[in-house]
Amino acid sequence: MTATKKATAVKRSLVTGACGFIGSHVVEQLAAAGHEVIAADHPSVWEGGDDVKRGRYPRLVSRLATKTVSFELSDAGSFSSLPIDVDYVFHVAAVFNYTAPYAELFRVNVEGTRALLGHFAKSRKLKRWVQWGAGGVYGMPSTRGNVPFFEDLAPMPSNNYLKSKWEQEFMVMSEAPKLGIDWTIVRPTTVYGPRAAYGSSQMFLGVLDPPVVAVPSSMTGRIPFIHVVDVARAAIHLAQVKTGANQVFNTNDDTVMNAVEFMQAMARLLGKPFLKLPPLPVGKLIKAAAPILDFQFWLMRDVLGKQPLVEPDMLAMATEDFVYPNDKLKATGFEFTYPDARMAFAETLDWYLNTYKSGE
Amino acid sequence: MGLIGKSDFVQLCLKNDDELADIFARGTTPEFAELVGYEFDGFNTMDLTQLIGIRRFRKGFLAADETVGSQEIGGYNVTVRPGPPTAEWDIVYKKGKPHRHSPYRVYRAPAGDKEDKYPQSLLINYDCPRNPVWNPGFLRDYLVKVTPTNPDLFLGKAYVALGSLRVYVSYFVLLRAEKVDPATVWG
């Protein structure tokens, strides 16, 4: 009797995109919290070993998860491998790429998620669908009057990737209630931490090799941060509290730090000289260089089929001043492991220096 | 020193002057007993110090001799190679001993005195005639304890004395490193 009770008390969670940067941390945090974890990812991901350069961790996740399954978000026929008798779905899987064409982003991120949601409509056990959104859906602060990005601000995504993420969110908000599924949307800002190979990784990798860290003093726009462990913990917390149901949450820590201060912190942590350069109109320079940036983007992506050296959409964020209030998240009782990003910059840099660089 | 202490130290080392000013203002006066007999790892937050090789250092504190009484203690700096706040402090040795230099006096600046800038702090005054002439007598540091509950973490604010002027130079952070035997410091 006791054993039966104990068995039924174990929570069962399914994580899509389980082998990626964020997914692997969600699996890790769920396992640590005693959940039975079903880790789902693309078949090709399970075939290889852990790959720090591509941000894929099938071996690590296999060790942590109770069960691993293959599925393809863009192929509803593959969903039969996904068990529906789960308490929570953490839907992390998506095409996360500022370079991908919109048609692909829409097909996978929006239509794939719509089909996946439909697959779980038959579940009698599902308590919450946790949807990974993106903090970037609000758009660029400079085009929104530089107001803080509270959750009730209407999204105005500035590029194809973020447009697909907002459409994905909107679809979940609209469709899940019709299917009787409670949902929670997390909108992480700049997610950093060990295992990131895209997005925030560029900020850390960019300072490793130059002998001097230099930045124009005009780069005073604030950068929002959230450690990947806190993103995972926040999602798990929100899935399990009533106040998290059918709500959107900015997932952002308390750090107040601009680009100059970030570079200064990097210089100090690396023991390198820091140079604050004279103010430069960086935003205008990026705009002026747009034809060159767009050309290399086209050449790399469409002609050579490679990742562009510089992604104009990502670069555009470098001059913006982002403010994401997190009061709504805190009001649910969530407490950050890393409320200030400075607490974890050192370990993150250490990971890039000792693990990523060596390609282990 | 545990990881938590080191983590707090590193966080302070990464803060900007405005944030450090706020922490300094809320700091409390260190007790002599918390300092005497120990060396502390130090990190200057002014970025120029990286270029001129004095980003990292150590500070030691010693009981003053009997002629001074209980209102004052002494101390010295130790040369350390530049580097990040997360790495081991790489102490510079001379003739087989840590390179200790720049002795100073530590006391509460008398109220109304020209050095009485921060009543919540201890003054580290390098202008001490009884010490060798090569000591950098133009330096004045003010030291506070960051939180009353952590006896290992201190925040300092360094000034240069130019006549009656006091020019701010840098904040510095101190973390307790190791006990020292006073008999071996200058010997």
Side-chain angles (χ1 to χ4, degrees), chain A residues 261 264 268-269 271 342-343, chain B residues 11 13 16 45 47 50 84:
Chain A
E261 290 163 342
Q264 195 171 33
R268 287 178 189 175
L269 282 172
R342 292 173 186 86
M343 292 170 75
Chain B
Q11 276 188 73
C13 294
N16 65 34
T45 62
D47 292 305
Q50 177 73 31

Side-chain angles (χ1 to χ4, degrees), chain A residues 14 47 54-55 61 120 158 166 168 184 235 246 251 271 274 308 318 345:
Chain A
L14 184 135
E47 286 164 12
R54 299 176 75 186
V61 167
F120 284 91
S158 59
W166 164 231
Q168 183 190 46
T184 298
N246 307 315
T251 318
F274 173 71
F345 279 166

